[in-house]
Amino acid sequence: MSLKKTLMTATLASAIGIFSVPAFAAEEVKIGVPSWTGAQAIAHLLGAVVEMRIGGTAEMVPGNNATIFQAMDQGKGDIDVHPDVWLPNQESFTKKYVDGAGTVTLSSNPYEGNQGFCVSQDFAKANSITDIADLGRPDVAALMDSDGNGKGEMWIGAPGWASANVNEVKTRDYGLLDFVEPIRAEESVKTARIKDSIAKGEGYAFYCYKPHAVWYMFDVEMLSEPAYDPAKYTMIQPSDDPDWYTKSNVASKDALKNVQIAWSNSLAARSPAIAEFFERFSLTADDVSNFAFEISGKGREPAEVAREWVEANPERVDAWLGL
């Protein structure tokens, strides 16, 4: 039975008192929750739709990309869905589990992502910083050196992020290592450092991407980089080769990204209504930026933001459910 017919039947049955429990009480899903804010927002939005509109249960399971994809591949229901797959960043996983093993499905409804490096607008204007190469100027690097080790700090991403590996290679291949120290830390550390550096008038550079709450939280700007060139972009992830850093060479901007959800193929047999919902689910980059701002900018709980959005956008949710 299709999701649309099932929902209509459930509604009619509830009206005449046949069912005393939600129609999809047997439907359940475990949603992987990576560390970045956008992924957390989407994860809770998926969960809110499952619980509020499908009547199933959704459990949030924290994990990194490798853990989530491995669980989806196993198909035992430990983790059923990855809420925010960035391609080609996570291509090593999709090639292995989507194209190779055929155990994971990738959504065909992506939103667009853009990655780069940012500084505050004030810092850029005061020091004529417009391009990534400007971070290698000794005067700029000195202004970014908060710990006195002779190098300016630049946040490149959180531990476990595929993009952080790319940015570590970029820092080297852009010739910045003599001037810039690449830092990996949780995103909350980066956000606090941006706020602090702006308040103190200090220099700070960081990996940035759209969509993200940072564009609503601070006056920042993305630096230019050499245009994307496949000939200058060879990235091997640690999951593919332990010698990834040596064998990689990235000296151009990333291509624009496709970002979408992915789910275990076993979900369709266990929870068909949820799997049908995932097939129709789609967001825009503006949607995700707004979610992220509500969560990290205003300090709200992701679950609260998600449930509020579902209540305020019934027509879009109906479309996802095929109603």
Side-chain angles (χ1 to χ4, degrees):
M1 182 181 293
S2 71
L3 174 57
K4 182 176 181 179
K5 290 181 179 179
T6 306
L7 282 168
M8 291 175 64
T9 301
T11 301
L12 177 61
S14 296
I16 62 178
I18 294 177
F19 293 113
S20 59
V21 296
F24 292 102
E27 297 247 349
E28 60 182 20
V29 64
K30 292 185 178 179
I31 302 172
V33 187
S35 61
W36 60 95
T37 306
Q40 294 171 5
I42 298 170
H44 283 86
L45 179 60
L46 295 172
V49 174
V50 167
E51 293 180 346
M52 297 172 67
R53 294 295 305 275
I54 296 179
T57 60
E59 179 181 342
M60 302 294 145
V61 184
N64 59 30
N65 293 324
T67 299
I68 295 171
F69 270 98
Q70 288 167 4
M72 291 192 297
D73 170 62
Q74 291 170 0
K76 298 178 180 179
D78 295 326
I79 300 178
D80 297 305
V81 57
H82 190 307
D84 207 35
V85 180
W86 284 66
L87 295 177
N89 296 39
Q90 298 169 31
E91 195 173 61
S92 61
F93 298 111
T94 59
K95 283 185 175 180
K96 182 175 182 179
Y97 299 116
V98 177
D99 303 330
T103 54
V104 175
T105 293
L106 190 66
S107 170
S108 58
N109 302 315
Y111 67 84
E112 187 176 89
N114 184 16
Q115 295 177 258
F117 299 92
C118 284
V119 297
S120 73
Q121 291 179 5
D122 287 345
F123 183 52
K125 184 177 180 180
N127 297 279
S128 300
I129 302 169
T130 60
D131 188 85
I132 187 68
D134 290 324
L135 301 183
R137 287 165 32 202
D139 60 317
V140 173
L143 293 171
M144 292 165 40
D145 181 11
S146 67
D147 58 11
N149 70 349
K151 292 186 178 182
E153 297 89 31
M154 181 169 71
W155 185 77
I156 61 169
W161 290 11
S163 55
N165 299 327
V166 174
N167 293 335
E168 185 171 347
V169 175
K170 275 191 178 186
T171 306
R172 179 196 67 194
D173 294 345
Y174 281 156
L176 299 176
L177 284 182
D178 288 341
F179 308 95
V180 172
E181 179 183 8
I183 301 294
R184 295 189 190 223
E186 293 302 327
E187 193 165 20
S188 58
V189 175
K190 177 262 301 186
T191 302
R193 184 71 184 95
I194 296 172
K195 182 177 181 180
D196 188 57
S197 67
I198 292 175
K200 295 179 179 178
E202 297 174 345
Y204 185 60
F206 55 95
Y207 166 58
C208 57
Y209 52 94
K210 299 178 181 181
H212 196 277
V214 72
W215 305 101
Y216 291 81
M217 296 171 67
F218 309 108
D219 292 326
V220 301
E221 62 182 63
M222 187 178 290
L223 303 176
S224 60
E225 298 176 59
Y228 172 68
D229 183 349
K232 296 180 180 179
Y233 200 109
T234 302
M235 185 63 209
I236 300 172
Q237 290 290 342
S239 56
D240 294 327
D241 193 324
D243 198 24
W244 63 275
Y245 184 71
T246 301
K247 294 181 179 179
S248 296
N249 178 25
V250 182
S252 79
K253 181 177 175 61
D254 280 57
L256 292 176
K257 310 298 180 181
N258 284 325
V259 194
Q260 56 263 288
I261 66 171
W263 61 93
S264 175
N265 287 351
S266 69
L267 184 65
R270 292 183 283 109
S271 299
I274 295 175
E276 286 187 39
F277 155 49
F278 286 170
E279 290 175 358
R280 298 187 183 95
F281 179 75
S282 64
L283 291 173
T284 67
D286 284 342
D287 289 331
V288 181
S289 288
N290 285 325
F291 288 139
F293 176 61
E294 291 292 324
I295 295 166
S296 61
K298 295 184 178 179
R300 299 181 63 194
E301 288 296 324
E304 177 189 5
V305 174
R307 297 181 74 86
E308 182 180 279
W309 192 93
V310 170
E311 291 174 349
N313 293 273
E315 292 183 358
R316 289 188 64 184
V317 178
D318 282 350
W320 296 341
L321 299 177
L323 299 178

